[in-house]
Amino acid sequence: MRAARVTPSLLPGFGPALGVTLLGLSLVVLAPLAALLATSLRGSPAAFLAAVTTPRVVAALRLSFLLSLGAAAFSALLGLLLSWVLVRYRFPGRRLLDALIDLPFALPTAVAGITLTTLYAPNGWLGAPLARLGVPVAFTPLGIGVALVFLGLPFTVRTLQPVLASLDAEVEDAAASLGAGRFEAVRRVLFPELLPPLLTGATLAFARGLGEYGSVVFISGNMPMKTEIAPLLVMTKLEQYDVAGATALATILLVASFALLLLLNRLEAWAAGGRR
Amino acid sequence: MKAPRSREPRAVRLLLIGLAFATIALFLLVPLAAVFVEAFRNGAGAWLSAVSDPDARHAVKLTLLVAAIAVPVNAVFGLAAGWALGKFRFPGRSLVLTLIDLPFAVSPIVAGLVFVLAFGRSSPLGGWLTRHGIEVVFAVPGIVLATVFVTFPFVARELVPLMQSQGTDEEEAARVLGAGFFTTFFRVTLPNVKWALLYGIVLCTARAVGEFGAVSVVSGHVRGVTNTLPLHVEALYNEYAFQGAFAAASLLTLVAFAAMLAKAFLSRHAGEEAP
């Protein structure tokens, strides 16, 4: 038996197809990313460390991580509500509701950005009443959070929906007939099944939020140390010809993306294993 | 599909449905309405003059040009990946699949930055190209490259799982009956995946038209030269030309609508292709 076995061998075209795939992948994705890592490694480790530990960079990274995490958690909660209602209940307007979930996927981020900013600005439709309540949204971290929840919502809904639909409600009935209360049936029977897609959706939302630029940059106000997110700081540094600083921060973001991608693979394997 | 029986009391059910409507209205419907209200704030005439302004027209043309290059490239790559990764098993396959997904996880700003680093004037490759009169960064080629990067996984991630689940029986039958590779591919495989392919193309087109962050880094923001439609929106907005910005944004929103409709239509057909 050969070690490197390609199955099946009856079909032609494996070599050329894999060749096109790997060539495209290398030229478009891997080589440019390698250029980033190479540029980042060209300097000394001390210089890299100094570039990513300035107070402004640390503040931007902390803001990006914390807000993305919070928004992912909130998107998960809303995703749970929306997917439950869309899968389990039948009511007028359900299909429209379901179709609208995809809006943040489809709407260009710059459009989302200027629209949310206009809505939540101190004189906006939603911003004005909120400001009167003493809750300014636009140009504060809360505004960034709103944009990230907007963006993260479809990820959690769309990962939960198929799993929830595949779960047989009869199982809950069985649990109920065996004496479990409704709450206990949900907690013991449903929750273990929903946990993997919930975590997968939240991780997807987190990964997207961490790197997001377009829908956040308008509403954030971009005050250094206060509302400056990491991707924007990369852009700012580049515009100020601080290529080394931009590259160092971008490397941190790239490594985080890669780690999240590996985590997602593990989560998917877990979900597949759990449901066989 | 039969509506599943519900186990919650009626009041709880109505409360949850109400909350779902409120969430969607607040987070999705109100922003959608706001785009059009702001776009038509000064009447249809103002909207028309904003979208037919020469800079806006140039931005539309550039956006269409970029999509016209990025989408076919993506489709060809997706079909090749579908064939190699969907129909065959080989060592390293899952690594290739993970790497294809990478552009989805990478920040658009990082995606733009890598092309500035690779093709900028300070890089060896960029310097060589500049000496030969080819500008990549802060020019149209850079915008195309960045768009191809961010849209890279779209078609492949639709086709690979589908082609994998369809197996190789039909193709093998075609081979046994004497069909060559091209006959097998175009007469057997492609008709089996056409809806999923179109689905991937729709998603890819929507993203290519709307991409902002990555394109923003490489474009250089030269109005009437390297501004795509999303960048035109940003430029107007930053000059406080809000009505013009929202007029251009309304065009992008219509594209998003068309993509959502096409997606809903195609996903029904694509679902039928799964064995």
Side-chain angles (χ1 to χ4, degrees):
Chain A
M1 200 172 94
R2 283 181 305 161
R5 196 176 159 83
V6 177
T7 53
S9 50
L10 185 63
L11 292 188
F14 172 71
L18 187 65
V20 170
T21 306
L22 293 181
L23 185 71
L25 190 62
S26 308
L27 283 180
V28 175
V29 178
L30 299 183
L33 291 180
L36 173 71
L37 292 180
T39 311
S40 169
L41 291 173
R42 205 181 299 150
S44 70
F48 179 89
L49 213 60
V52 297
T53 50
T54 65
R56 190 172 167 188
V57 171
V58 172
L61 279 172
R62 189 170 54 210
L63 185 73
S64 277
F65 270 90
L66 288 180
L67 282 175
S68 304
L69 202 62
F74 196 65
S75 301
L77 273 181
L78 288 180
L80 213 46
L81 166 76
L82 290 171
S83 57
W84 180 269
V85 168
L86 289 172
V87 170
R88 285 294 172 97
Y89 304 150
R90 291 296 175 271
F91 53 92
R94 190 183 67 92
R95 293 182 73 100
L96 179 71
L97 228 56
D98 190 63
L100 275 171
I101 301 280
D102 279 329
L103 183 71
F105 277 160
L107 199 66
T109 56
V111 177
I114 66 167
T115 309
L116 292 174
T117 311
T118 304
L119 278 177
Y120 288 97
N123 59 354
W125 294 356
L126 301 170
L130 284 167
R132 251 177 274 136
L133 293 173
V135 189
V137 180
F139 319 123
T140 70
L142 181 62
I144 304 175
V146 168
L148 293 179
V149 171
F150 172 83
L151 210 63
L153 203 53
F155 287 101
T156 54
V157 178
R158 292 297 185 226
T159 43
L160 279 165
Q161 245 176 339
V163 177
L164 202 51
S166 75
L167 288 179
D168 201 344
E170 310 275 319
V171 183
E172 293 156 52
D173 286 345
S177 75
L178 293 172
R182 181 68 186 146
F183 176 74
E184 207 179 351
V186 168
R187 188 176 66 86
R188 305 265 298 253
V189 178
L190 271 182
F191 190 68
E193 298 279 354
L194 291 182
L195 191 61
L198 197 63
L199 287 176
T200 304
T203 310
L204 283 167
F206 176 71
R208 177 70 201 264
L210 196 57
E212 180 56 22
Y213 175 75
S215 41
V216 174
V217 67
F218 298 99
I219 204 168
S220 71
N222 309 330
M223 278 171 291
M225 310 296 295
K226 289 204 183 76
T227 58
E228 188 176 53
I229 52 163
L232 175 75
L233 187 52
V234 173
M235 186 86 167
T236 308
K237 282 180 178 293
L238 194 64
E239 278 169 356
Q240 293 167 349
Y241 303 103
D242 178 10
V243 177
T247 309
L249 183 52
T251 304
I252 302 253
L253 288 176
L254 179 64
V255 170
S257 311
F258 202 71
L260 285 167
L261 206 56
L262 293 179
L263 176 67
L264 279 167
N265 275 0
R266 298 301 296 270
L267 279 171
E268 269 165 31
W270 178 40
R275 283 182 294 127
R276 282 169 295 278
Chain B
M1 197 170 78
K2 199 161 65 78
R5 270 180 306 144
S6 173
R7 280 139 190 90
E8 281 77 40
R10 195 180 150 78
V12 173
R13 205 162 70 226
L14 288 180
L15 176 72
L16 291 179
I17 293 176
L19 274 175
F21 266 105
T23 305
I24 302 265
L26 188 65
F27 274 96
L28 304 178
L29 213 50
V30 170
L32 196 57
V35 173
F36 291 97
V37 169
E38 296 292 332
F40 288 97
R41 181 166 287 270
N42 303 334
W47 180 84
L48 202 64
S49 71
V51 297
S52 57
D53 158 278
D55 287 340
R57 281 213 305 264
H58 185 275
V60 169
K61 268 187 225 152
L62 181 58
T63 301
L64 292 177
L65 172 74
V66 170
I69 301 171
V71 175
V73 167
N74 199 277
V76 169
F77 166 78
L79 283 169
W83 187 260
L85 302 168
K87 299 287 184 191
F88 297 88
R89 291 302 154 87
F90 58 93
R93 180 178 169 277
S94 62
L95 176 68
V96 177
L97 277 174
T98 304
L99 290 175
I100 288 177
D101 271 346
L102 198 54
F104 274 167
V106 171
S107 170
I109 296 300
V110 175
L113 176 69
V114 296
F115 289 104
V116 172
L117 293 176
F119 293 101
R121 286 187 184 183
S122 54
S123 85
L125 182 59
W128 185 84
L129 286 171
T130 305
R131 279 195 299 281
H132 289 76
I134 303 169
E135 294 290 344
V136 175
V137 173
F138 308 137
V140 176
I143 296 176
V144 172
L145 278 172
T147 306
V148 172
F149 180 100
V150 294
T151 56
F152 199 68
F154 277 105
V155 173
R157 71 169 8 216
E158 295 303 324
L159 290 186
V160 172
L162 178 66
M163 283 164 93
Q164 184 183 341
S165 70
Q166 285 176 344
T168 55
D169 293 351
E170 291 185 33
E171 282 81 5
E172 281 169 13
R175 287 289 289 165
V176 170
L177 294 171
F181 168 73
F182 286 101
T183 311
T184 308
F185 183 79
F186 286 105
R187 302 286 290 275
V188 178
T189 308
L190 201 54
N192 277 340
V193 299
K194 62 174 184 296
W195 294 114
L197 175 64
L198 279 175
Y199 187 85
I201 286 176
V202 165
L203 297 182
C204 178
T205 308
R207 180 70 194 264
V209 168
E211 177 52 30
F212 175 65
V215 167
S216 180
V217 180
V218 293
S219 88
H221 301 277
V222 185
R223 189 164 314 175
V225 183
T226 60
N227 259 6
T228 61
L229 201 47
L231 295 175
H232 184 62
V233 169
E234 182 201 25
L236 291 176
Y237 187 86
N238 286 343
E239 289 169 357
Y240 305 101
F242 295 135
Q243 191 267 328
F246 277 100
S250 71
L251 291 183
L252 287 168
T253 308
L254 291 176
V255 173
F257 261 145
M260 281 167 71
L261 278 179
K263 196 181 159 216
F265 171 75
L266 290 171
S267 66
R268 218 164 303 158
H269 287 284
E272 288 162 13
E273 285 176 340

